[in-house]
Amino acid sequence: MISTANGPRWVLALTGGIGSGKSAVAERLAALGAGVVDTDRVAHALTAPGGAAMPALAAVFGPEIVQADGAMDRAAMRARVFADPQARQQLEAILHPMIRAQTEAELATCPGDYLVLVVPLLVETGTYLPLADRVLVVDCPVETQRQRVRARNGLPEAQIDAILASQASREARLTHADDIIDNSGDFAALGLQVDVKHSYYLGLAHQALAD
Ligand SMILES: CC(C)(COP(=O)(O)OP(=O)(O)OC[C@H]1O[C@@H](n2cnc3c(N)ncnc32)[C@H](O)[C@@H]1O)[C@@H](O)C(=O)NCCC(=O)NCCS
Ligand SMILES: Nc1ncnc2c1ncn2[C@@H]1O[C@H](COP(=O)(O)OP(=O)(O)OP(=O)(O)O)[C@@H](O)[C@H]1O
């Protein structure tokens, strides 16, 4: 439970590797009434035109990572950081503290029956784990992740390899799971699992608040 100005809130941390289905799960939980704060979305806002992270990013990485509209050039930055671990560390050193502060501010005011905190790097950084009452991992075979990322972004295979290599292994991530959603099937199979988990989390959240 986290304490907010609106009282204590029960928090589900939701994670998974790239292309595993975190956004699809979070979207459905939101439709069912959960309050969702997604650190990827927070990061996007910080790097949008006029975003609070842009001055520091331009100073460190140069004008070539800034688009004409003032937003971060995501493809350019992706190519750079997944080819160079030191550049990735520099990017994370700028963005992660800002993402954390904004995420905490949003959690403090987010409505919903309980809170869902979506953190792709939950296991890798460990810093969000203390906020979580429960950890839900969206899981599928790495080959399925590859296929879905390929279909969505058309990323070169070497870049998909580099992103996967920078993230925790499937096995390491699963050791942190209280619950697992298997997203190796279709959207219908995913939806059924999410609905069951949501009912369970509603019960846990109500129980925790009653205790
Ligand atoms: C590297 C960037 C420019 C790539 O942008 P792009 O639009 O291609 O991806 P997007 O932001 O939508 O993220 C998609 C997925 O990439 C993976 N990913 C993103 N950042 C990282 C990272 N630092 N390390 C490993 N994987 C990452 C995650 O699986 C994430 O869900 C961007 O992800 C970024 O700015 N990352 C740094 C911030 C960060 O660490 N975000 C993770 C959430 S806290
Ligand atoms: N069960 C499924 N069947 C078919 N396609 C799926 C399924 N689940 C997700 N997808 C597709 O796979 C892609 C990745 O899904 P999603 O964006 O939900 O994953 P993510 O974990 O949030 O990804 P990222 O880490 O890149 O932010 C999307 O294009 C989505 O539409």
Side-chain angles (χ1 to χ4, degrees):
M1 304 273 273
I2 58 167
S3 60
T4 73
N6 301 321
R9 306 299 311 276
W10 191 88
V11 179
L12 174 73
L14 170 58
T15 193
I18 186 161
S20 56
K22 296 178 296 293
S23 304
V25 171
E27 212 173 286
R28 189 158 179 117
L29 290 172
L32 292 168
V36 174
V37 177
D38 184 334
T39 54
D40 268 345
R41 186 190 46 73
V42 169
H44 284 226
L46 289 167
T47 54
M54 290 313 298
L57 292 176
V60 170
F61 291 95
E64 60 271 26
I65 60 89
V66 185
Q67 294 177 169
D69 65 0
M72 178 169 75
D73 182 332
R74 312 190 69 79
M77 186 63 95
R78 194 197 307 125
R80 190 130 156 209
V81 301
F82 290 114
D84 177 358
Q86 205 185 324
R88 183 158 54 86
Q89 273 171 19
Q90 286 178 303
L91 174 66
E92 292 177 355
I94 294 168
L95 280 180
H96 284 186
M98 299 179 93
I99 294 171
R100 176 68 182 226
Q102 180 61 25
T103 297
E104 286 188 7
E106 293 192 18
L107 285 172
T109 57
C110 188
D113 295 326
Y114 60 90
L115 299 178
V116 179
L117 172 57
V118 188
V119 188
L121 304 180
L122 185 75
V123 168
E124 290 82 347
T125 72
T127 52
Y128 288 89
L129 284 169
L131 302 182
D133 290 283
R134 217 162 164 89
V135 173
L136 172 61
V137 174
V138 191
D139 178 62
C140 65
V142 174
E143 191 42 43
T144 308
Q145 286 177 257
R146 285 180 185 284
Q147 280 165 9
R148 289 178 180 159
V149 171
R150 224 181 275 134
R152 182 184 57 188
N153 304 68
L155 294 188
E157 212 57 34
Q159 207 168 72
I160 300 177
D161 285 343
I163 296 172
L164 284 165
S166 75
Q167 299 187 345
S169 68
R170 190 179 176 191
E171 294 71 26
R173 188 177 293 109
L174 286 171
T175 64
H176 289 268
D178 296 304
D179 305 306
I180 299 168
I181 283 185
D182 170 12
N183 191 23
S184 56
D186 59 15
F187 280 114
L190 180 66
L192 288 174
Q193 293 176 76
V194 176
D195 292 357
V196 171
K197 289 282 188 286
H198 175 69
S199 304
Y200 179 54
Y201 295 143
L202 268 183
L204 288 180
H206 283 139
Q207 187 57 50
L209 288 169
D211 284 346

